[in-house]
Amino acid sequence: MSNNFLFKSSPPSKTIPPPSPTRTTFSESLMDENIEIAESLIIKWSTDASSYVKIASLFHDDRSESKQFLNSVRDLQSAMKYFVTQKVASEKLVRAHTLMQMAMKRLEKEFYQILSANRACLDPESVSARSSRSSAARPSVSDLEDDESEDEFRVVGESVSEVERASMIVMADLKAIADCMIASGYGKECVKIYKIKRKSIIDEALYHLGVERLSLSKVQKSDWEVLELKVRKWLKAVEMAVKTLFYGERILCDSVFSASESIRESCFAEISRESAISLFEFPEMVAKIKKSPEKMFRMLDMYEALCDSWPEIESIFSYESTSVVRSQAVSSLVKLGEAVRTMLTDFETAIKKDTSKSPVPGGGVHPLTRYVMNYISLLADYSGVLADIVTDWPLILDSPLPESCFGSLESDDLVISTRIAQLILVLLCKLDGKTELYKDAALSYLFLANNLQYVVVKVRTSNLKLLLGEDWVTKHESKVKQYASNYERMGWNKVFSSLPENPTAEISLEQARDCCKKFNLAFAEAYRKQSAWIITDPKLRDEIKISVAKKLRSAYHEFYNKYRGKLRFGSESLVRYAPDDLGNYLSDLFYATRSAGSVSSSCSPSHPRGGQSH
């Protein structure tokens, strides 16, 4: 408790005459009366009084008495100022000063008790809800002094909940005490109590939200699995911390210490700065760990969370004394952005440097394709954040990508669209190089068709379509059809060429017999070989099967009808397949199973689905 109580008096004036004896006597008697009234109430509630008063609260039961107490303190202060300016007997000033100290000691105790006993009413969520209502009807002690105000308290015509109402009353009491103590020159004592109690509330709340105070070395030494769990906790905590915890504390601090802007600022800075810096420093520490592609999405999550919270951060920590908090949040955003750009570069480099030398069995989708496209489709979900990160980051292309590929996209979309298109282009170029691992040209085209179809489907069924546009999808779908057409031409060329070029032209039976043998051999070989091949996409698989079957039936039908009864070897027909059988055999292809059956050129197989040889 401060023993120094200073009053500022006006400098002496040579022209002001001394007050008249009558006036002085009347004023003194009024001041004496103020002291007498104040003394009775202050001594009654003195902390050295009865045991009941020591545990009772001035602001709990009879609220009219709390109002009288505060008014008595103000009157006492007026009397002290009068005695100083009038140079009245020092014993009166000493008496008034002693009473003031007793009153401040009581108010200090009340302030502490209210803060301690009303944590539920003063929790940030309640305070935040209270602040969302109109401030037009903020309560004061005088508002709540009678029963009618207690029962009918409303905000702008809207009933408030019991919790909000209790919060309003408690905040009004704290403000009334703070106003009185600050006006009496005891603001330092009041602020000290407030800082200790509310700082512990913030620290405890962040602890329960799962926010830890970690050093950079500890973060860098943590396994990613452990650190990722901490990141997940931080992501859940940051919105609550900013939009409820710190926001509620700022509202509470501004309300309680509304009488002094400098006290409001210093008080809020003292209770929040350290915790807020610790909260916003964590993303920067994570951004400094060893980079790898799987870590990018958590860093994008943190970047997005900070961006979403930035308007509130800027508003809540608007004071000059809390500028370091804003600076820390910005620093974390910068470091996260740098980390993401580094990982994007590393990701592209990793695609280019992929060294897998084993061909995918059956020409299926390469693991690199699945990994890259799954990764890129996830990146597309962060397009807004990525656009912000890469906007001023120059992209170096081996050859420029035509803007026509992207249709009509917004400029912000075009920035990230170009990045995504570049990554896919790098992948497709890498896949094109892997066709050299296949000795069969038809299988290499099937490999390209499979992989590009996977890319196109991934784009069409994800947010990538919004970034790349319909024109990009259409262009690459056409390329899939081109690869499929090349596969058909290379994979079935021997089968088609074994039949007469003009199926209606007359040829000798010997020539027909030769064509039949060649067709049987070619079809059996094509079926045997391609029964181990795969087309992973059902739609593409059906399209290729239908296309091949249609062309085979068209070419074979005339030949079959014309020579099926004429080409025999002894009692056995040389014509092994009816046109419908060809479709049945083709239906077994492209599932990458050798158990689909084998076709013999010298014997007549029974089709697994019941087809008969002819």
Side-chain angles (χ1 to χ4, degrees), residues 440-458:
D440 191 302
L443 183 55
S444 68
Y445 280 117
L446 192 64
F447 170 78
L448 290 174
N450 269 321
N451 282 269
L452 185 54
Q453 178 71 2
Y454 184 89
V455 170
V456 169
V457 170
K458 204 70 178 177

Side-chain angles (χ1 to χ4, degrees), residues 187-233:
K188 185 183 293 184
E189 288 76 6
C190 178
V191 167
K192 181 180 179 181
I193 295 171
Y194 187 90
K195 287 178 179 179
I196 292 172
K197 296 299 294 183
R198 296 314 296 181
K199 188 177 188 302
S200 66
I201 296 292
I202 292 178
D203 292 342
E204 184 180 328
L206 287 176
Y207 173 79
H208 287 302
L209 287 173
V211 178
E212 299 180 53
R213 294 190 178 183
L214 302 169
S215 65
L216 178 59
S217 61
K218 187 171 182 178
V219 169
Q220 290 178 325
K221 290 176 183 177
S222 298
D223 292 335
W224 173 243
E225 292 76 14
V226 175
L227 188 57
E228 187 178 19
L229 289 176
K230 297 184 187 298
V231 171
R232 289 177 183 271
K233 288 181 179 179

